[in-house]
Amino acid sequence: MTPQRQARREQLAAAPTNIEVSHVHKWYGEFHVLRDVNLSVSKGERIVICGPSGSGKSTLIRCINRLEEHQKGSIIVDGTELTNDVKNIEVIRREVGMVFQSFNLFPHLTVLENCTLAPIWVKKLPKKEAEAIAMKYLERVRIPDQALKYPGQLSGGQQQRVAIARALCMSPKIMLFDEPTSALDPEMVKEVLDVMISLAEDGMTMLCVTHEMGFAKSVADRVIFMDRGEIIEQNVPDEFFNNPQSDRTKLFLSQIL
Ligand code: ADP
Ligand code: MG
């Protein structure tokens, strides 16, 4: 292990736990989609989740902000357990930002309005204040000049950067990314990854479902491999890529690398 990796490991070990997923099961009807998933994420930790299509990656991260409900086990996010209590769900939604593969911007609102909607309606911020915050994050993702355009007038990479800025406007403690670059043309992948890298450098707790293995190698503290609803293997990137243990992990890596 490199000295940097060792220092980072000690730093994370001393950090409080931000997400605790314990013995989580979920079914869609008869279909057992998450099978005894256990995952503990420290504050500031960067996790990459990979695995074949249909393995339950999206379902897992959607359970973490309650876009999906689990049926067994527990999920605790920043000290709040996810139950049917609407109050808890509201707390989590404020603290957890999510970025989807398909951007999910509101097409009839400008970039700026996309970014101020939740701060104004959920956080009850005055419009001027919400706009100032939005402009700060649009600068951060390097598109302040697009603020008055509509999503349809932007490239895919720009739209995804707006989606990231929009999530940041709620001052989340945790960011979830579900294949944020999969719908992008290749030349736009880097501009989105660069924004994610800068977020990571700022200490954001991040769970990223992605098959961008370069990103995983340079940014992740831990890579998690899921298959058929289970976490099969997890490790620091060097070990994960150079010394995979399970045959399923080896097969998956041979297909994507
Ligand atoms: P991944 O993100 O790893 O590709 P998903 O979490 O999206 O996997 O899906 C896992 C499995 O659950 C897939 O077999 C998918 O078809 C199924 N699934 C996902 N969402 C639903 C749903 N709303 N209803 C029924 N089955 C679903
Ligand atoms: Mg998915």
Side-chain angles (χ1 to χ4, degrees):
M1 196 182 304
T2 63
Q4 292 93 324
R5 188 65 81 186
Q6 182 65 36
R8 177 78 183 148
R9 177 174 281 198
E10 284 165 16
Q11 179 193 349
L12 289 172
T17 301
N18 231 357
I19 304 172
E20 187 79 62
V21 176
S22 308
H23 299 293
V24 162
H25 293 259
K26 175 172 178 60
W27 289 263
Y28 288 120
E30 299 277 285
F31 181 63
H32 198 173
V33 59
L34 295 179
R35 301 162 177 259
D36 196 33
V37 173
N38 294 282
L39 175 63
S40 180
V41 183
S42 298
K43 189 166 165 30
E45 193 170 14
R46 293 141 7 195
I47 305 244
V48 161
I49 303 174
C50 60
S53 180
S55 56
K57 307 178 297 294
S58 295
T59 304
L60 173 60
I61 67 165
R62 291 170 68 87
C63 282
I64 290 172
N65 69 350
R66 200 65 171 192
L67 289 176
E68 296 285 353
E69 200 175 310
H70 59 286
Q71 280 98 33
K72 220 174 135 191
S74 72
I75 301 179
I76 300 172
V77 178
D78 203 35
T80 303
E81 179 163 4
L82 278 176
T83 60
N84 283 327
D85 188 333
V86 177
K87 280 226 167 51
N88 286 0
I89 296 173
E90 280 175 4
V91 170
I92 303 292
R93 293 273 168 82
R94 281 179 202 212
E95 295 193 351
V96 181
M98 174 124 182
V99 174
F100 303 87
Q101 179 174 343
S102 52
F103 325 139
N104 293 10
L105 298 173
F106 297 108
H108 59 292
L109 298 180
T110 64
V111 163
L112 187 62
E113 288 164 346
N114 265 279
C115 290
T116 57
L117 191 68
I120 290 173
W121 292 98
V122 180
K123 278 198 162 177
K124 314 287 182 204
L125 288 190
K127 186 164 174 234
K128 281 269 172 298
E129 196 178 322
E131 285 178 350
I133 293 170
M135 287 311 299
K136 181 180 92 175
Y137 286 113
L138 289 171
E139 268 156 36
R140 167 111 204 241
V141 301
R142 297 192 296 276
I143 36 174
D145 46 325
Q146 310 291 326
L148 301 179
K149 290 196 181 163
Y150 288 86
Q153 297 172 287
L154 306 186
S155 73
Q158 290 173 322
Q159 289 188 55
Q160 193 59 301
R161 285 186 283 148
V162 173
I164 295 172
R166 178 176 66 173
L168 294 175
C169 284
M170 291 293 282
S171 315
K173 295 184 174 168
I174 297 165
M175 286 284 286
L176 307 176
F177 293 87
D178 193 358
E179 303 206 35
T181 59
S182 298
L184 299 177
D185 291 333
E187 73 271 20
M188 291 171 192
V189 169
K190 185 174 179 298
E191 65 192 56
V192 170
L193 292 180
D194 283 347
V195 168
M196 292 169 65
I197 290 168
S198 96
L199 266 184
E201 284 166 352
D202 278 1
M204 179 67 79
T205 307
M206 295 167 66
L207 260 75
C208 312
V209 175
T210 180
H211 292 156
E212 290 293 334
M213 292 301 141
F215 175 82
K217 283 178 192 170
S218 61
V219 174
D221 294 301
R222 214 174 351 146
V223 183
I224 287 179
F225 173 70
M226 285 185 76
D227 194 12
R228 297 179 219 161
E230 288 178 287
I231 293 180
I232 302 295
E233 182 164 348
Q234 51 181 311
N235 217 328
V236 294
D238 286 352
E239 282 295 309
F240 180 83
F241 290 109
N242 297 330
N243 191 17
Q245 300 297 306
S246 138
D247 286 341
R248 287 199 247 172
T249 315
K250 288 176 196 166
L251 176 66
F252 175 75
L253 290 175
S254 74
Q255 287 162 342
I256 63 158
L257 291 179

